Amino acid sequence: MTVEDRKYLWNTYNRLMIAIKERDGFHCRWCFSQKGLQMHHKIPKRFGGDGDPSNLITLCNKCHKKAERRFWRMFGVMPSRIRFRFKIFKFRQSFAREFNLTKVLWL
């Protein structure tokens, strides 16, 4: 990918971001905050969502985190770092059971 291609993609993304924020009135669609605005995919890319404006919504930082957590709870999807910590915890539990340890090492 050339530098010109990267610039074109970046400018296209910025124009899309501004258009979505303008459509939503430059405020969070959930709490109406005007600080820390981000674009949120209603259907994440990893589940077939795309960059179409109908799939995008403007949310503030806090509401974006809430939306992601809600999606994880609804569909049983965890981000990779949480999944990794959970695997470590499960390994520690099985290790403790195997050697009859009374305490399980927590993260």
Side-chain angles (χ1 to χ4, degrees):
M1 182 178 280
T2 65
V3 174
E4 289 80 24
D5 291 339
R6 289 183 187 157
K7 285 181 182 179
Y8 175 76
L9 288 174
W10 182 251
N11 289 334
T12 305
Y13 175 77
N14 280 338
R15 275 190 242 122
L16 176 65
M17 209 164 77
I18 291 169
I20 298 300
K21 288 179 181 179
E22 188 176 346
R23 179 197 69 193
D24 294 340
F26 292 99
H27 64 268
C28 174
R29 293 285 297 267
W30 287 3
C31 72
F32 301 103
S33 171
Q34 293 181 337
K35 296 181 181 177
L37 297 178
Q38 301 176 347
M39 277 196 316
H40 171 68
H41 289 84
K42 295 176 188 176
I43 301 171
K45 288 181 179 180
R46 64 179 175 241
F47 292 108
D50 57 0
D52 188 60
S54 64
N55 188 39
L56 297 170
I57 187 172
T58 304
L59 296 177
C60 68
N61 292 335
K62 290 181 183 179
C63 292
H64 196 193
K65 288 179 186 175
K66 288 178 190 175
E68 293 294 325
R69 277 191 237 119
R70 182 180 295 168
F71 189 85
W72 298 334
R73 272 188 256 126
M74 282 172 45
F75 296 102
V77 178
M78 289 190 279
S80 59
R81 70 175 182 274
I82 294 175
R83 211 174 314 137
F84 178 71
R85 287 184 176 184
F86 185 71
K87 285 180 182 178
I88 290 174
F89 174 71
K90 284 294 187 185
F91 172 75
R92 287 178 178 174
Q93 273 187 331
S94 63
F95 183 82
R97 253 186 262 117
E98 186 176 334
F99 293 101
N100 295 324
L101 300 175
T102 55
K103 274 191 173 181
V104 175
L105 304 173
W106 295 91
L107 294 176

